Amino acid sequence: MATPTELQDRPRVLIVGGGYVGLYVALKLQKKIANAGGIITLVDPLPYMTYQPFLPEVAGGNIEARHAVVSHRQHLKQTELIQGRVTSIDHANRTAVIAPSDGGENFEIPYFDVVLAAGAITRTFPIKGLAEKGIGLKTIEEAVALRNKVLDSIERASVMTDPAERARALTFVVVGGGFAGIECLTEMEDLARAAVKNNPRIKQEEVRFVLVEAMGRIMPEVTASQAEWVVEHLRSRGIEVLLNTSLDNADGSLKLINLPDKTPAQEIEADTLVWAAGVQANPMVRSTDFPLEPRGRVRTLPDLRIGGDEGIVENAWAAGDIAAVPDLTGKGLPDGTCVPNAQHALRQAKRLAKNLWASRWDKPMHDYKHKNLGAVAGFGEWKGVANINLLGRIGLKGPLAWLAHRGYHGMAMPTVERKVRVVGNWVIRFFAGRDTTQLLDLDNPRAAFVAAATPAPKPVVTPAPAPEADAAEKTKVDPKQPVSADAK
């Protein structure tokens, strides 16, 4: 095994981020770079890559949480892995500063090539109370917490006697009508239905789900007619859909406003607030000397090299949500760049790996160009919508769309080992039903042990007051004295 000093001396490809792009670039290049005498170093605060399209199914209890992530250690055997964050990059001197996840001292690391693959973070707004009350759906931890929150809320509400408290516990609000928000909302609603069936103290009509969307329509990834069908489908399940509505305040009750006229819409008492109103490029790119575009993404050429007004930045690459990659098909965002989704990230990573390797040997590089295959979304068991671009545009609804959703994402899940685990979850779910087992105290796993190991306080014994002496004398009876009839 190479020593740290030997690793420092080897030409390094530094990969910043271990998501879709980082994982696939490392998978495709680690053996080639190692055989050529170099080293790939991947830096990420997490020891795994999260397949984010499966987060709603984790929240709904269809997929085991660990099966929706891919271990870096298990699959990147020839890659140097560092758990930490890249806090800054000085590309002019080919160095990066890393902050270890364990809180240790920051250190510098040299590199030959750098790949920016730090992805995106949840986009939020300065709404009072949002940080304290809300939860996103960007990490596996958030998905697990949401699943347990739904189940815990139903259990707690079932023994509440105060109608207002009960209604608040059974109200779930999701802000954001894109794919992530709709899939999260519908999977949670499916999970709640299954939990209510097992709890005779709760009626389904008591459970309230609300979708809040600032635009006049939901799911811009599908056609307008499909989006209208989705709204009808949600309302048929008892889900309230509030369009042209925004969350104005989350401190206490949730205060909503109508966006067209900026007037108050309504107040909702809810214990659960899910924020799924979009993403933004990881802000770590602001601590680099790379050119950025107005939305905060690093400017990228079609061949995935970083480049700006002053030309190409040699030995610097970027892809995925952190990069403004030109969409050569003309079907991307209004600014001409690729839509930030998993479909593009996976394919850009493979093209980036090929181009980076070709650049080492002065071979031709190719531009990234990928026709969008469409969009698929699952809304719980046997429900979904899909817009597939194969031989023309094919629109699907209901069970067929749900099967297309599972088929596509089952194939897109990285590594054969994880595909098998995910499909195994689905098979078990089909025969055994949805698992609504509630897991408690995940945020405080030592609670039971601490309670058992803490000595119980000794009971305080208060001595009875001593009788007064004179009262004792008055009531004292001489056994030799005869007892009067009155005393008897």
Side-chain angles (χ1 to χ4, degrees):
M1 179 179 292
T3 66
T5 302
E6 290 171 339
L7 292 179
Q8 288 286 93
D9 294 337
R10 294 164 65 180
R12 173 179 281 106
V13 176
L14 175 64
I15 301 177
V16 182
Y20 306 113
V21 175
L23 175 72
Y24 269 97
V25 170
L27 279 172
K28 297 296 181 182
L29 287 179
Q30 61 179 354
K31 185 175 181 180
K32 293 178 180 179
I33 295 294
N35 290 341
I39 181 72
I40 288 183
T41 299
L42 187 149
V43 182
D44 194 284
L46 299 175
Y48 49 76
M49 169 263 188
T50 303
Y51 190 71
Q52 293 177 5
F54 280 155
L55 292 182
E57 291 213 46
V58 172
N62 289 322
I63 295 177
E64 162 65 34
R66 291 173 301 162
H67 299 167
V69 300
V70 180
S71 167
H72 291 153
R73 291 281 177 197
Q74 185 174 351
H75 295 281
L76 299 177
K77 300 290 188 182
Q78 294 175 279
T79 295
E80 179 189 27
L81 300 171
I82 299 176
Q83 270 189 250
R85 298 181 185 275
V86 172
T87 60
S88 64
I89 295 176
D90 179 6
H91 190 66
N93 294 303
R94 300 293 197 276
T95 59
V97 176
I98 297 175
S101 293
D102 64 1
E105 189 174 341
N106 292 6
F107 61 91
E108 278 193 356
I109 190 169
Y111 62 83
F112 184 80
D113 281 286
V114 63
V115 177
L116 292 188
I121 64 171
T122 301
R123 180 186 64 190
T124 59
F125 302 102
I127 299 173
K128 189 176 181 180
L130 178 59
E132 294 76 18
K133 193 165 188 175
I135 184 174
L137 189 64
K138 200 77 173 62
T139 68
I140 198 70
E141 294 80 8
E142 288 174 323
V144 173
L146 269 177
R147 175 185 181 275
N148 290 325
K149 182 66 180 294
V150 171
L151 297 175
D152 179 63
S153 296
I154 291 173
E155 286 297 324
R156 287 189 300 105
S158 68
V159 294
M160 289 179 178
T161 56
D162 185 313
E165 288 186 7
R166 186 179 175 103
R168 185 165 56 247
L170 294 175
T171 300
F172 306 90
V173 178
V174 176
V175 178
F179 263 46
I182 301 294
E183 288 188 309
C184 173
L185 174 71
T186 50
E187 287 287 356
M188 287 169 56
E189 198 268 346
D190 250 20
L191 175 65
R193 283 183 179 274
V196 168
K197 286 181 180 179
N198 294 331
N199 192 329
R201 296 177 65 91
I202 295 285
K203 297 179 180 179
Q204 181 59 42
E205 53 266 28
E206 292 183 88
V207 184
R208 182 186 183 192
F209 279 88
V210 183
L211 173 67
V212 178
E213 169 53 43
M215 304 296 290
R217 60 161 288 184
I218 62 173
M219 302 182 74
E221 301 89 344
V222 300
T223 65
S225 61
Q226 286 177 315
E228 291 174 3
W229 176 86
V230 173
V231 172
E232 293 175 3
H233 169 77
L234 297 179
R235 287 173 173 161
S236 71
R237 294 166 63 169
I239 298 173
E240 300 173 41
V241 180
L242 306 178
L243 302 178
N244 294 310
T245 305
S246 177
L247 176 65
D248 185 56
N249 193 316
D251 188 17
S253 61
L254 306 182
K255 299 175 179 62
L256 308 180
I257 59 171
N258 292 315
L259 288 180
D261 54 14
K262 303 294 183 181
T263 59
Q266 59 175 292
E267 290 190 18
I268 299 177
E269 297 287 344
D271 283 345
T272 304
L273 171 62
V274 184
W275 182 268
V279 297
Q280 62 181 352
N282 195 313
M284 65 79 48
V285 295
R286 300 170 192 163
S287 300
T288 71
D289 48 359
F290 297 124
L292 306 180
E293 47 90 75
R295 295 177 62 182
R297 298 174 298 170
V298 63
R299 293 174 63 181
T300 311
L301 303 176
D303 60 11
L304 303 175
R305 287 182 293 177
I306 295 175
D309 295 335
E310 298 181 2
I312 298 171
V313 180
E314 297 294 340
N315 302 103
W317 311 77
D321 293 355
I322 203 171
V325 180
D327 191 330
L328 301 183
T329 67
K331 303 293 185 181
L333 296 173
D335 64 0
T337 59
C338 292
V339 176
N341 61 21
Q343 187 180 143
H344 279 304
L346 293 173
R347 287 167 172 78
Q348 287 171 8
K350 296 176 182 179
R351 172 47 56 197
L352 190 157
K354 291 178 180 178
N355 283 350
L356 191 155
W357 184 246
S359 72
R360 287 290 181 91
W361 309 100
D362 293 326
K363 292 184 177 180
M365 293 182 286
H366 299 281
D367 291 343
Y368 172 76
K369 184 177 181 180
H370 170 68
K371 181 181 178 182
N372 194 342
L373 297 178
V376 290
F379 300 155
E381 190 174 27
W382 300 105
K383 301 177 285 287
V385 66
N387 187 16
I388 302 173
N389 300 323
L390 291 176
L391 300 175
R393 176 174 288 180
I394 303 173
L396 300 176
K397 304 172 185 175
L400 288 179
W402 179 77
L403 290 172
H405 160 76
R406 285 206 161 176
Y408 173 78
H409 287 298
M411 293 296 295
M413 181 70 187
T415 76
V416 173
E417 173 252 342
R418 290 290 139 165
K419 295 183 200 293
V420 171
R421 293 182 187 274
V422 168
V423 173
N425 285 178
W426 289 337
V427 172
I428 294 172
R429 163 76 176 83
F430 181 79
F431 289 103
R434 188 187 300 267
D435 187 353
T436 58
T437 305
Q438 184 183 358
L439 299 179
L440 301 175
D441 291 331
L442 290 181
D443 57 340
N444 186 20
R446 296 182 61 249
F449 176 78
V450 170
T454 302
K458 295 181 179 180
V460 178
V461 179
T462 304
E468 296 181 6
D470 57 339
E473 289 296 327
K474 291 179 181 178
T475 57
K476 186 175 180 181
V477 178
D478 187 346
K480 296 180 179 181
Q481 295 285 336
V483 179
S484 66
D486 292 338
K488 292 181 180 179

